[in-house]
Amino acid sequence: MKKLSYIFLILFVVVTAGCTKHFLDINNDPNNPQQASLKLLLTGAEQGLASDMGFTNDARGARGLTEVLSVYVHQIVVRESQDQYGATGSQFDINGAWTGFYSSAVAANGPDYIGFMEDIEVLIRQATAGNNHFYAGIGKLLKAYGYSQYVDAFADVPFSQANQFSTNGLRYPVFDKGATIYPQLLALIDAAIGDLQNTSGNVLAPDADDIFYGGDVSAWIRMAKSLKLKLYNQIRLVQDVSGPVNQLISAGGLISNTGQGFMMKYGTLASPDDRNPGFSEYYATQKSHYISPWFYEIMKGYNPRLFTGIRDPRIPYYFYNQNKPLGASQQPTEYRDSGFISIYFGSTGTNRNGSQDRSMTVFGIYPVGGRYDVGDAITVTASSGTGAAPLRLISYADVLYIQAELMNAGVIAGNARQKLSDAIDESFRQVDFVVGLAKGGQSVPTLFGDSTYRNKILAVYDAQTTPAGRLEVIITQKWIQAFGFSGDLYSDYRRTGFPILFNPTDPTMAPGGFAQPPVAGNPTLPPPQAKVPVALGRKYPLSLPWPVVEMQVNPNAPPQKQPDITPPFWRP
């Protein structure tokens, strides 16, 4: 009888199990799910976007677009290929940024990971199928922002057929024209706003998995409208945008204070590392990012063309001098101004390649969360800062500078001078905001509050007699405030011709092919400080070359471009 009872019990378990869905599905590992959650997809996508855009130099190597573009907009000087505009499609950072953007498989020189757009496409697809409108809307905005940056940088890119292998087996996408992609991005932004305003269906909302805005839907809608304004301004030279731009401005709802900016807020942890990737320069075995003397001299007031004699009070927030003003440097210097030590873009001088890891000027607290310069002149290490500075992709200052540009161009009504004034004030508030996030135990003075610098810049603006002259002041100030992210600066220069950049072949900048550092800038040697031979054998790249990793495997890729004659569609 007992044996029979066991048989009935076994039969009951088997029958019950047979009626239980997936009870015996031993091929599905619950610890390794077949479908990623929306939360994981969103976090991964946001991290991927930031990595593709910034000063990214991590375990997978240098792979952020700012690694190249910061040199092209003359804020940073390096000894690598991007010097003299030599970046090629085989360069690791261009290849790495492209792979990180599109990849759905194994990234070169790194562990398996899914690229930004693959995450985004899956996120949008799953969120739409599940009526999770908030996630779908955020995904569409991330997609629109990412593609806008890649069209701006590369001109034509895979879009209509990109990242479709898992859905329809398309392995080799065609390259779409940027002019056909931009209208679709603007429509995608409108669709995203509709999703974010849709409270029907499954209203699962992001929270901590949304690293940008913590699930704040209203913040994403402000970002969406500000992104539209940025894209319309980008195409204003090839399309009449006055109607939609004025409609946007009239409706309001743009980013309107510092904290509302579209930014990746990094932390202070070393393991796992959540610090700003550009902070890696502080603990790198070999430092590679020199501050451009051209950028420094404009902020210092040395440039004879613009802002002459006006010292920018942001200097100790932007740059940190490891060397004492009167101290001997690690190696003979090429460019020195007291404690500031760097090299020239295009230098062919004998002191260009000497190691200056312990003497060179490095990033300060503002762009990467490094050290505020109080003149203590220490050799920086990982403990010299926090690395908690955000990557600012669309800031409130950007929105104000864009409006000032549109007013100056007559696209919208308003006082461009006042908008410039507001933008300069906001640029200073922005520095204080970053310091509040990144200062750690450092004692850092508040920057905003003194109107002296702003009033001097406005006097320069008032002295301009043409719209082009006033535009130069606006864009140069925007260039200064955006230090740390160079995607929009590269676009601004190609669209407007400003700011004026260092040109080794310009006889007013380098007479006879020689640049002159500050004559008395090296206090360890008698003046004059030696001139430096500089050269430039290439024209300015109007777009980036397509990466070799794409060209070698994609039969639908076009022939490699010539970057100096291939602009994006919005440049007439």
Side-chain angles (χ1 to χ4, degrees):
M1 188 68 181
K2 183 181 288 188
K3 184 177 181 180
L4 186 60
S5 298
Y6 280 124
I7 292 173
F8 280 125
L9 178 60
I10 292 170
L11 287 172
F12 174 80
V13 171
V14 171
V15 171
T16 304
C19 296
T20 303
K21 188 177 183 181
H22 304 314
F23 185 82
L24 295 178
D25 191 354
I26 61 174
N27 292 320
N28 286 340
D29 181 357
N31 296 318
N32 197 10
Q34 301 299 302
Q35 178 172 291
S37 70
L38 294 177
K39 289 183 177 295
L40 289 176
L41 287 167
L42 179 59
T43 301
E46 291 181 342
Q47 290 175 329
L49 176 63
S51 294
D52 292 336
M53 293 293 112
F55 275 116
T56 304
N57 194 343
D58 56 19
R60 302 184 187 106
R63 58 190 181 89
L65 287 182
T66 293
E67 288 286 339
V68 175
L69 299 183
S70 63
V71 179
Y72 283 13
V73 299
H74 290 257
Q75 292 184 332
I76 297 297
V77 179
V78 299
R79 294 192 290 244
E80 286 76 41
S81 299
Q82 50 265 50
D83 185 56
Q84 295 196 49
Y85 310 128
T88 67
S90 59
Q91 187 162 320
F92 188 89
D93 35 30
I94 292 178
N95 275 329
W98 184 278
T99 302
F101 189 80
Y102 283 110
S103 176
S104 59
V106 179
N109 300 318
D112 291 6
Y113 79 107
I114 301 299
F116 163 70
M117 273 314 307
E118 186 73 9
D119 274 344
I120 285 296
E121 295 294 359
V122 175
L123 172 66
I124 294 172
R125 192 162 59 244
Q126 288 184 192
T128 302
N131 289 322
N132 288 297
H133 305 299
F134 295 160
Y135 277 95
I138 293 172
K140 290 172 184 176
L141 289 178
L142 293 171
K143 178 178 178 177
Y145 179 86
Y147 266 117
S148 71
Q149 288 290 340
Y150 271 61
V151 169
D152 293 345
F154 292 97
D156 302 334
V157 297
F159 178 74
S160 61
Q161 297 180 356
N163 296 93
Q164 293 189 25
F165 178 72
S166 61
T167 54
N168 60 22
L170 258 176
R171 187 183 294 272
Y172 303 116
V174 298
F175 279 52
D176 296 282
K177 296 293 184 182
T180 67
I181 296 173
Y182 247 60
Q184 296 177 73
L185 301 184
L186 290 164
L188 193 63
I189 296 170
D190 287 336
I193 293 173
D195 285 329
L196 293 168
Q197 293 173 335
N198 188 346
T199 57
S200 65
N202 185 354
V203 290
L204 176 66
D207 43 58
D209 53 313
D210 174 13
I211 310 174
F212 282 110
Y213 286 122
D216 185 342
V217 172
S218 60
W220 278 107
I221 293 175
R222 285 191 293 267
M223 177 271 185
K225 294 179 178 180
S226 302
L227 176 58
K228 282 188 74 174
L229 181 69
K230 186 175 90 73
L231 298 192
Y232 280 129
N233 185 50
Q234 194 79 298
I235 62 177
R236 68 177 178 83
L237 298 181
V238 295
Q239 181 178 329
D240 181 4
V241 299
S242 57
V245 166
N246 278 282
Q247 185 177 4
L248 262 177
I249 298 295
S250 298
L254 300 169
I255 291 171
S256 57
N257 66 54
T258 314
Q260 292 175 357
F262 181 49
M263 64 186 90
M264 172 61 69
K265 292 181 181 177
Y266 290 104
T268 62
L269 291 178
S271 182
D273 197 341
D274 71 343
R275 298 169 294 185
N276 187 306
F279 183 68
S280 64
E281 192 80 349
Y282 271 58
Y283 51 87
T285 54
Q286 184 174 355
K287 294 177 173 58
S288 60
H289 298 87
Y290 288 82
I291 305 302
S292 165
W294 184 257
F295 186 40
Y296 167 77
E297 289 196 348
I298 287 178
M299 294 186 70
K300 193 75 173 180
Y302 292 167
N303 191 290
R305 175 189 173 88
L306 193 66
F307 307 156
T308 309
I310 304 175
R311 184 187 183 280
D312 196 316
R314 291 171 285 190
I315 288 173
Y317 300 82
Y318 277 40
F319 317 132
Y320 181 79
N321 294 328
Q322 297 184 99
N323 213 76
K324 294 182 182 299
L326 301 177
S329 58
Q330 185 178 349
Q331 299 281 349
T333 58
E334 171 167 294
Y335 181 98
R336 182 164 182 175
D337 184 35
S338 187
F340 182 91
I341 293 174
S342 190
I343 60 176
Y344 276 107
F345 174 88
S347 167
T348 59
T350 57
N351 294 329
R352 172 184 184 266
N353 293 325
S355 175
Q356 297 284 9
D357 294 309
R358 300 190 303 275
S359 295
M360 62 190 282
T361 297
V362 295
F363 296 123
I365 191 171
Y366 177 65
V368 302
R371 193 168 184 83
Y372 171 75
D373 197 344
V374 294
D376 49 350
I378 66 169
T379 301
V380 298
T381 65
S383 62
S384 303
T386 65
L391 175 65
R392 296 160 282 106
L393 298 176
I394 305 177
S395 69
Y396 177 38
D398 291 330
V399 173
L400 292 170
Y401 283 115
I402 289 170
Q403 291 182 72
E405 179 183 343
L406 290 167
M407 290 174 182
N408 182 68
V411 177
I412 60 175
N415 186 330
R417 182 188 190 275
Q418 182 59 54
K419 196 62 69 172
L420 170 63
S421 177
D422 294 343
I424 295 172
D425 283 348
E426 173 56 23
S427 300
F428 279 50
R429 289 191 190 95
Q430 186 170 270
V431 173
D432 290 333
F433 176 82
V434 171
V435 167
L437 296 173
K439 66 180 180 179
Q442 298 179 77
S443 178
V444 183
T446 299
L447 179 63
F448 176 74
D450 186 347
S451 61
T452 303
Y453 176 80
R454 180 238 295 151
N455 291 340
K456 289 181 178 180
I457 298 300
L458 291 177
V460 175
Y461 179 88
D462 292 339
Q464 306 305 311
T465 58
T466 65
R470 292 188 286 273
L471 180 62
E472 180 177 5
V473 177
I474 293 168
I475 297 296
T476 304
Q477 280 297 309
K478 184 183 179 188
W479 173 69
I480 294 172
Q481 72 86 24
F483 185 41
F485 171 58
S486 301
D488 291 345
L489 303 180
Y490 181 49
S491 296
D492 287 343
Y493 177 73
R494 290 172 296 157
R495 188 183 71 254
T496 69
F498 299 122
I500 299 300
L501 302 177
F502 178 62
N503 182 355
T505 66
D506 187 326
T508 66
M509 299 179 186
F514 287 86
Q516 176 63 65
V519 172
N522 190 341
T524 68
L525 298 173
Q529 190 171 190
K531 295 179 181 180
V532 178
V534 291
L536 180 60
R538 302 178 185 88
K539 295 179 181 179
Y540 195 85
L542 301 178
S543 62
L544 295 181
W546 290 308
V548 169
V549 292
E550 184 74 25
M551 308 298 287
Q552 289 179 336
V553 301
N554 185 354
N556 290 323
Q560 182 60 276
K561 70 175 79 167
Q562 188 174 332
D564 62 324
I565 62 171
T566 312
F569 78 97
W570 42 254
R571 185 181 186 273

